[in-house]
Structures are given as C-alpha cells and as structure tokens.
C-alpha cells in the first residue's frame, strides 16, 4: 500500500491553475485546489451511475473487506493526512485535533464495516409473512463543510458505500485539499468511479442536489444551505439527510460540582475551537453555583494553549476563515456593548497573523443577547444565570434549533429527567458532543432530519422494500 508524504499527496490532488488555499494560521499558501465545472459534475454522476450496479452486485463481505482496507490505508497515511488537514483547516495536530480526526476516519470506516446489515422478517406466522429488505439508492451525493472535512466526509460515504451505493462528494471551498487527499488515499482501495470528488463552488452543490440521477443527498452545513437543498431536490423528491446548524444548550443543575465538570464543559464548548455543529454554544448555570462554575471555567480555559496547528502542544487553533472570525468578533463586541461581562478573552489582536480569536467566556449575559440566540461557531461561550430549572428548560427550548443539548449534575437520574424535556436530537449527561459510530445522531427542528451512524445510518442510505405475503 503506497505511503505518501504531504508534498506527494498535494502533487497528486492539487492543480497549479486552481484556487489558492491559504493556511488560516499564517496566510501561507497550502496548495492550489482544482475548481471543476457543472459539466465535470455531470460526467462524475454519469460514471458513478454506470459503476453502481457492479458495486452493489458484489457480496457484502467484499464491501466490508474493502472498507477495512480503506481504514488501513488511512492509518498508513495518517501522518501526511493530519499535517495537510492541520495546515488547511487550522486545527492543531494535538488534542482533539487533526490526528484525532484522521484516526476517527479509520475508526468510523471499521465500525461501519462491522455493523450488522438491517432487514429481515417482520412477521413470520402461518398466515402472515412480511419482511423488509434495504436496497441501495443508487448514486449518493455527499456535500460537506469545512470544520471536520475529513471525518464528516467519512460519515457520509462509509454507510453509503457499505449499502452498495456509489458516491459523488462536493467538499467545501474552504477545505477541498483535505477531502481530495483523503479520497485519493481511499481510491487506492476502491474500484474506479465508486467514489469521486468534484471540488468547486456552490454551483456544483446546487447541481448535485437537483441532478436527476442522484437519489440521495447527505448534507452537513448551515441551515440556510439546507433549505436551498430541500428546494433544489424537491422536483426529484430526493431522499435527504440534513445535519444543519445547532445552538446547543447545556444546563448545569445546582447540585453539580463546578471543579469536577469544568474540563468537560470546556471541551464540550471549545472542541475544534468551537467550530463544531454539536458543540455546547450556550451554558445555563444555576445562580447558587454560577460564580464557582465561571471561575472554574476561566481557570481551565486560561491554561489551554492556542496557536499554529503544526506547533506541537497547541490544543486550540485559529478560526478557519475570515467570515467566521468576523461573526465571532461581531457577536462578542455586541455582547460587551450590551453590558455583558467578558470573563476571559475578547480583544483579538487585529495586527497578528492568522484568524486567531482568543478563548472567550462571557458572563452576566441576557438570554436574548445575539451571542446566545445566534450560532457563534467559534471560541466564545456565553454563560447565562438561571434561578429555577423550569426557567432553564424554557430558555434551552426557546430557539428553533435542536441538534444536541446536555445536563450536568451529581445525580444522573435527576439529570435524565431534565434531559427528557429538552428538544434536541441528542442529550448528553455530564458530557457534550461525544459521538459514536454505533449510536444514531441527528437533529430536530431546523437542525435537520435523518439519522447518521449505526444501523439507522445504514437505513438512511438505502431504500426499504417490504415483501408482503
Ligand atoms: P454552507 O452551508 O454554506 O456550506 C456547506 C456546503 O454546502 C459547502 O460544501 C458549500 O459549498 C455547499 N453549498 C453551498 N451552496 C449550496 C447549494 N445551493 N446547494 C448545495 N450545496 C451548497 O456552510 P459554510 O461553510 O458557509 O458555513 C456557514 C455557517 O454554517 C457557519 O457560520 C456555521 O454557523 C454553519 N456551519 C455548520 C456546520 C455544521 O457542522 N452543522 C459546518 C459548517 C458551518 P461551497 O463551499 O462551495 O459554498
């Protein structure tokens, strides 16, 4: 199996005439990404459609074997993939960063290969017989974001391939090289045209969404683009899995131990420097322990090094792009002007290179402040004081999003009672944002619909057929 370094991977996927991709930590050019046309996309879909019947006709054991080999290939190339990911996305090699993401890709491929396929008898009596089978959809379109570009691509493609679909991937314009390099490594294992990447602009995503030969779209990104995908796919009544924006609430109950939960709260909110769909984005803390929780968070946050991802030891990096930096900066400034208290951070250095925004904690903030009500998607956490749990539940449920949520308490039973009342696809107890390849994950409200991971994720990229009689 070929083992690449970053430069050889880049040489295989980059295009000297393409768009310059800049390192968000330094502004240095990482490489030039090809920009494909809608005609290229049409050709990729046509080839994927031609390749699909033979891929589906292989025995499931064969697809399982290839998914496991793909995991081996990712592991063999992990150093180069992690370095490229760190340079393009900005995330540190260390911590819950680039090495973690690449390791997650291999782990997810293996776990997806190991799931028992869905389907089987529903009723098997003398008079009534019914069974359900899950057949491939055909060609699946996978449209991904820039925050976890490799891992989310794997989340989309691994179940689709396992179920006998072929896949055409449209990566984010911000992080195309990471996805191209990952697929380059995977395609040393998979047959031609089973898995194709078409990098380019929003026109590629829009065409993939409305393409008559694409049966299903897996999408992770903003709610606005999710709405465009619903509209674009309506004529074909296409199957959709939409994992859209969130604004996850965490509720700390009055019996929680501030010091014991501080590090979990911190990583729940600041994983990937806050650029995670299911990160903790607004924290509700009971008045009895509000000051202690704030102090414990300031202590933990203050000792987490932020810097260039390739420098070992950093665990937080820059924002991936200028637009996201401006969103975070604008929200924190508006919070400061409203009278909220900056407990840590704020005040980025405008002359410093890179899109580094300091780790920021904002206290004494009203629930209707934009930093609470809007998705910041960056390293700035608002901490809201509440006086009774009813009020906290109302505030947590008060937005039109519902990806994740969490409840923090010394009494897990009490936490579960509160969790059951939260309007979110997943509610974690004394943790936030932990995903597992065998546990279904998806949003409610405008955070999307459809489940990823586990057997539900396999069903999501298949067409059920009931045989009755
Ligand atoms: P977008 O939703 O704009 O982009 C996600 C993907 O959709 C990209 O590959 C994009 O391509 C593609 N796309 C754009 N337009 C269309 C279209 N009409 N049809 C189909 N696909 C399309 O997210 P951004 O990256 O711009 O981030 C914006 C905000 O979204 C962030 O501020 C954050 O709040 C949220 N977000 C949420 C994520 C999550 O994990 N839930 C991840 C990333 C962002 P292209 O790059 O070419 O525009």
């Amino acid at each position: 199996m070929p083992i690449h370094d970053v430069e050889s991977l880049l040489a295989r996927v980059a295009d000297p005439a393409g768009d310059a991709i800049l390192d968000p930590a330094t502004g240095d050019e990482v490489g030039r990404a090809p920009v494909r046309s809608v005609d290229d996309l049409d050709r990729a879909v046509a080839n994927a459609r031609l390749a699909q019947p033979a891929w589906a006709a292989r025995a499931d054991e064969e697809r399982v074997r290839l998914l496991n080999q793909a995991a081996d290939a990712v592991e063999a190339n992990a150093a180069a993939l992690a370095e490229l990911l760190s340079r393009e996305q900005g995330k540190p090699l260390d911590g819950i960063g680039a090495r973690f993401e690449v390791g997650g890709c291999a782990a997810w491929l293996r776990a997806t290969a190991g799931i028992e396929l869905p389907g089987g008898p529903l009723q098997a009596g003398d008079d009534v017989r019914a069974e359900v089978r899950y057949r491939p959809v055909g060609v699946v379109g996978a449209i991904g974001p820039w925050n976890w570009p490799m891992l989310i691509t794997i989340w989309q493609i691994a179940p689709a391939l396992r179920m006998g679909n072929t896949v055409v991937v449209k990566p984010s314009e911000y992080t195309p090289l990471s996805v191209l390099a990952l697929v380059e490594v995977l395609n040393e294992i998979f047959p031609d045209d089973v898995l194709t990447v078409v990098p380019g602009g929003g026109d590629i995503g829009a065409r993939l969404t409305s393409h008559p030969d694409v049966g299903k779209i897996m999408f992770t990104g903003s709610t606005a683009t999710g709405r465009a995908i619903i509209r674009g796919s309506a004529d074909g009544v296409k199957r959709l899995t939409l994992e859209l924006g969130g604004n996850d609430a965490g509720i700390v109950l009055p019996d929680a131990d501030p010091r014991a939960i501080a590090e979990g709260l911190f990583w729940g909110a600041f994983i990937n420097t806050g650029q995670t769909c299911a990160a903790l984005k607004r924290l509700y803390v009971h008045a009895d322990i509000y000051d202690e929780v704030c102090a414990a968070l300031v202590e933990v946050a203050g000792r987490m090094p932020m810097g260039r991802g390739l420098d070992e030891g950093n665990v937080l990096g820059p924002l991936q792009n200028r637009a996201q930096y401006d969103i975070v900066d604008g929200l924190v400034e508006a919070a400061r002007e409203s009278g909220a208290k900056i407990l840590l951070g704020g005040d980025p250095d405008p002359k410093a290179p890179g899109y580094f925004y300091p780790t920021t904690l904002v206290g004494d903030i009203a629930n209707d402040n934009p930093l609470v009500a809007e998705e910041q998607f960056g390293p700035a956490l608002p901490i809201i004081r509440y006086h009774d749990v009813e009020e906290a539940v109302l505030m947590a449920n008060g937005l039109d999003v519902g990806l994740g949520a969490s409840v923090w308490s010394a009494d897990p039973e009490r936490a579960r009672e509160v969790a059951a009342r939260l309007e979110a696809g997943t509610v974690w107890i004394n943790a936030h944002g932990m995903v597992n390849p065998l546990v279904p994950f998806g949003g409610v409200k405008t955070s999307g619909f459809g489940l990823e991971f586990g057997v539900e994720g396999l069903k999501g990229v298949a067409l059920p057929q009931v045989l009755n009689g």
Side-chain angles (χ1 to χ4, degrees):
M1 167 183 320
I3 298 179
H4 303 282
D5 58 25
V6 176
E7 297 315 322
S8 74
L9 262 183
L10 272 173
R12 292 166 80 102
V13 302
D15 174 355
D19 278 354
I21 302 292
L22 305 182
D23 181 333
T26 61
D28 296 342
E29 185 175 302
V30 179
R32 288 188 168 263
V35 179
R36 301 285 181 232
S37 67
V38 167
D39 286 346
D40 293 327
L41 187 270
D42 284 348
R43 267 189 293 280
V45 171
N47 290 338
R49 191 173 178 217
L50 281 174
Q52 193 270 330
W55 176 246
R58 291 184 184 226
D60 178 57
E61 295 73 37
E62 174 73 359
R63 287 193 294 274
V64 163
R65 189 176 64 77
L66 293 176
L67 284 170
N68 280 313
Q69 279 184 10
D72 295 341
V74 169
E75 278 168 354
N77 288 284
L81 289 171
E83 185 182 333
L84 177 58
L85 176 62
S86 179
R87 281 165 61 185
E88 185 181 53
Q89 204 284 333
K91 64 183 65 192
L93 289 171
D94 273 351
I96 314 173
R99 294 185 183 117
F100 172 87
E101 181 167 349
V102 173
C105 291
W108 234 273
L109 284 161
R110 283 193 211 292
T112 307
I115 299 169
E116 191 177 333
L117 287 179
L122 299 167
Q123 282 194 315
D126 288 342
D127 302 329
V128 196
R129 279 172 61 89
E131 77 176 87
V132 60
R133 296 175 177 174
Y134 288 89
R135 300 183 302 164
V137 177
V139 179
V140 170
I143 305 176
W146 45 261
N147 54 343
W148 294 87
M150 290 187 181
L151 189 55
I152 290 175
T153 298
I154 292 291
W155 290 357
Q156 297 175 333
I157 69 174
L161 295 176
R162 173 80 193 278
M163 295 307 285
N165 305 285
T166 52
V167 185
V168 176
V169 179
K170 152 70 178 98
S172 165
E173 280 173 89
Y174 289 115
T175 52
L177 296 170
S178 296
V179 176
L180 284 160
L182 174 70
V183 172
E184 183 75 13
V185 167
L186 298 175
N187 274 340
E188 281 156 4
I189 306 299
F190 295 124
D192 287 351
D193 299 322
V194 163
L195 174 62
T196 314
V197 190
V198 184
D203 55 333
I204 305 284
R207 174 66 178 154
L208 191 58
T209 297
S210 61
H211 198 297
D213 291 334
V214 174
K216 163 98 196 187
I217 296 288
M218 304 284 293
F219 174 74
T220 297
S222 65
T223 298
T225 305
R227 290 195 175 100
I229 286 174
I230 293 170
R231 283 191 290 270
S233 64
D235 282 351
V237 196
K238 226 176 275 300
R239 273 81 193 133
L240 302 175
T241 296
L242 301 179
E243 204 263 81
L244 309 177
N247 195 345
D248 290 10
I251 298 178
V252 179
L253 299 183
D255 69 353
D257 175 348
R259 293 198 151 277
I261 63 172
E263 193 145 341
L265 287 173
F266 176 81
W267 283 116
F270 290 87
I271 179 172
N272 203 29
T273 315
Q275 304 163 104
T276 297
C277 42
L280 171 50
K281 292 174 180 146
R282 45 195 176 115
L283 182 62
Y284 296 94
V285 181
H286 193 274
D288 285 357
I289 55 168
Y290 185 86
D291 291 340
E292 290 96 316
V293 170
C294 289
L297 268 171
V298 167
E299 191 278 314
V300 171
R303 60 178 155 85
M304 296 295 177
M306 177 186 284
R308 182 169 175 254
L310 293 186
D311 296 341
E312 298 283 351
N314 288 325
V315 293
L316 299 167
L319 273 309
Q320 202 282 328
N321 54 73
R322 178 86 218 182
Q324 200 60 50
Y325 178 98
D326 289 342
I327 289 171
V328 175
D329 192 30
L331 288 171
V332 174
E333 281 317 302
R336 188 202 304 273
E337 281 162 24
S338 76
K341 191 167 167 193
I342 309 293
L343 303 171
L344 182 76
D347 294 322
D349 177 357
K351 292 198 199 73
Y355 304 131
F356 288 99
Y357 195 89
T359 308
T360 299
L361 295 166
V362 182
D364 294 337
I365 186 166
N367 190 47
D368 62 356
N369 191 286
L371 181 60
V372 181
E374 294 170 23
E375 185 184 28
Q376 70 278 53
F377 216 68
L381 179 68
I383 309 170
I384 306 102
R385 192 190 311 261
Y386 74 85
H387 293 89
D388 76 81
V389 175
E390 292 305 311
E391 179 198 5
V393 169
L394 273 178
M395 290 193 288
N397 289 339
L399 300 181
D400 63 356
V401 286
L403 192 53
S406 56
V407 183
W408 303 72
S409 169
D411 176 355
E413 271 318 303
R414 172 76 184 119
R416 276 190 202 97
E417 283 167 25
V418 176
R421 300 175 55 204
L422 296 181
E423 295 165 0
T426 302
V427 187
W428 289 276
I429 309 293
N430 292 327
H432 198 113
M434 288 179 342
V435 287
N436 176 321
L438 303 181
V439 176
F441 176 71
V444 299
K445 297 164 116 177
T446 63
S447 292
F449 51 78
L451 290 170
E452 296 182 271
F453 314 159
V455 72
E456 298 304 324
L458 295 184
K459 290 180 186 173
V461 280
L463 298 178
Q465 181 185 57
V466 175
L467 298 179
N468 207 333

